[in-house]
């Protein structure tokens, strides 16, 4: 069973940066999709970035140019670099994983394994 543990959240001012980490342990899907999904208070969880086993990435328009997803496959850690943060980025950020389906990109749907989340709070 895959286990995901997020860390790196915190409180920052607008324009600041954070780097989130998601440590993976246990059985992992091969190949896989992994992604980051923030959930703001009162809103649905939404995908902002995904990455595949092969390093292919995808981003929501709202974070392009500000967020960068990456992975250290030797350490089984997923990262999300958040730059130029805005108050609207305030959310609990979850990482998730699923099997990679051949011929399809890593979209923001179909994820069934989730971490417990890490809180990001951006103040003006």
């Amino acid at each position: 069973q895959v286990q995901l543990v997020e860390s790196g959240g915190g409180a920052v001012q607008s324009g600041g940066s954070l780097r989130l980490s998601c440590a993976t342990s246990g059985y992992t899907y091969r190949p896989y999709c992994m992604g980051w999904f923030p959930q703001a208070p009162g809103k649905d969880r939404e995908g902002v970035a995904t990455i595949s086993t092969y390093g292919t990435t995808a981003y929501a328009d709202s974070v392009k140019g500000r967020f960068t997803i990456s992975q250290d496959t030797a350490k089984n850690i997923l990262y999300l670099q958040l730059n130029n943060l805005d108050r609207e980025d305030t959310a609990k950020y979850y990482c998730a994983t699923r099997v990679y389906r051949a011929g399809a990109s890593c979209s923001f749907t179909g994820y069934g394994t989730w971490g417990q989340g890490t809180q990001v709070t951006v103040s003006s």
Side-chain angles (χ1 to χ4, degrees):
Q1 183 177 358
V2 180
Q3 293 182 327
L4 306 175
V5 179
E6 301 95 332
S7 61
V12 295
Q13 292 188 329
S14 293
S17 298
L18 283 173
R19 189 176 79 158
L20 307 183
S21 300
C22 174
T24 303
S25 62
Y27 172 81
T28 55
Y29 303 118
R30 285 286 187 274
Y32 57 76
C33 289
M34 293 197 74
W36 288 97
F37 299 79
Q39 185 169 19
K43 295 186 177 180
D44 292 334
R45 196 174 300 183
E46 61 177 9
V48 294
T50 65
I51 191 167
S52 73
T53 302
Y54 312 107
T56 304
T57 59
Y59 295 93
D61 289 343
S62 61
V63 305
K64 283 181 181 176
R66 299 191 301 123
F67 293 5
T68 303
I69 190 170
S70 62
Q71 60 188 346
D72 184 330
T73 55
K75 296 181 178 179
N76 293 326
I77 300 176
L78 177 73
Y79 300 103
L80 185 67
Q81 179 69 41
L82 296 75
N83 295 330
N84 194 21
L85 283 161
D86 183 84
R87 288 181 61 185
E88 293 189 355
D89 298 316
T90 293
K92 194 166 189 178
Y93 285 69
Y94 296 86
C95 68
T97 187
R98 63 167 171 83
V99 172
Y100 173 87
R101 301 180 184 91
S105 62
C106 287
S107 66
F108 296 128
T109 59
Y111 292 79
T113 302
W114 298 84
Q116 84 290 347
T118 185
Q119 179 68 38
V120 172
T121 303
V122 185
S123 60
S124 57

